[in-house]
Amino acid sequence: MKILKFIGIGVLGLIALFLIIPLFLPSTSNVVRSTTVAVPVDSAFNYLSDFNQFKQWSPWQGIDPAMTTSIEGSGIGSKYSWKGNDEVGSGSMTMVGMEKNKYVDIKLVFISPWQSTAATKWSVEPAETGSKVSWAMSQEMPYLMRYMGLMMDGMLGKDFDKGLSNVKNKLEKK
């Protein structure tokens, strides 16, 4: 009987620990990657700020070649939507702000495989050999999802690196 009581207290302790730890975890998940591209800032900015170019450098396009996409408008307020298999899911990106030759702010909305919203920024700045191009994403993590927030950099970082490598390859071949 004592062993069952000990096991019960242990299980309750683990559950309490599981519920308490998120209090001490970051409430925001951030992923940031950068590369240098041997083109002028305006060329890099114009490429990044045009959703029509996104399919050429998206790291997810090759995962689901049957993915459907649509683009509405251009500039601030334009929207890129996609619907793909379970691995790429579905959602949309809306340009919510930009400063010419500096950055593009995007509201990213995931519909499936789970619902969430994130802020994404593509930025460009002068570099010694051309332009430094950065891709950043910031997302508020609900209480228990903070555990997942610890893994976001590892999960998305390689995709951001691949996308930036694609940007570099496309722009430097033009």
Side-chain angles (χ1 to χ4, degrees):
M1 192 64 152
K2 282 186 176 185
I3 189 88
L4 289 177
K5 185 176 179 182
F6 180 72
I7 290 172
I9 290 171
V11 168
L12 288 175
L14 287 174
I15 291 171
L17 191 60
F18 178 78
L19 294 173
I20 291 171
I21 288 175
L23 288 170
F24 303 99
L25 297 177
S27 62
T28 304
S29 169
N30 296 297
V31 179
V32 180
R33 293 293 190 274
S34 299
T35 193
T36 302
V37 182
V39 299
V41 168
D42 62 334
S43 296
F45 178 82
N46 290 337
Y47 187 74
L48 291 173
S49 64
D50 181 359
F51 276 148
N52 291 298
Q53 304 301 323
F54 185 68
K55 281 176 84 169
Q56 293 181 26
W57 63 271
S58 167
W60 302 287
Q61 191 65 38
I63 294 173
D64 181 7
M67 176 172 50
T68 59
T69 62
S70 65
I71 299 170
E72 301 168 28
S74 63
I76 295 176
S78 63
K79 186 175 186 177
Y80 177 97
S81 300
W82 77 93
K83 185 172 184 171
N85 61 23
D86 290 341
E87 196 169 352
V88 297
S90 63
S92 66
M93 297 187 293
T94 303
M95 284 191 200
V96 295
M98 74 170 64
E99 185 174 337
K100 180 113 174 103
N101 295 334
K102 294 201 178 199
Y103 65 84
V104 178
D105 284 332
I106 295 169
K107 179 180 180 184
L108 179 59
V109 176
F110 295 101
I111 298 168
S112 71
W114 62 85
Q115 295 182 356
S116 68
T117 303
T120 300
K121 178 176 272 192
W122 297 324
S123 58
V124 181
E125 60 186 78
E128 198 171 301
T129 59
S131 303
K132 178 181 176 186
V133 177
S134 299
W135 187 356
M137 185 182 88
S138 178
Q139 183 174 19
E140 289 295 317
M141 302 305 287
Y143 188 69
L144 287 178
M145 292 299 289
R146 291 178 185 179
Y147 286 108
M148 186 174 175
L150 296 173
M151 299 178 281
M152 292 299 280
D153 190 74
M155 291 180 350
L156 288 178
K158 62 180 172 34
D159 292 334
F160 281 26
D161 286 334
K162 181 178 179 185
L164 290 172
S165 176
N166 292 343
V167 166
K168 181 177 180 71
N169 291 336
K170 296 289 183 182
L171 286 174
E172 290 180 352
K173 286 183 182 175
K174 285 188 173 187

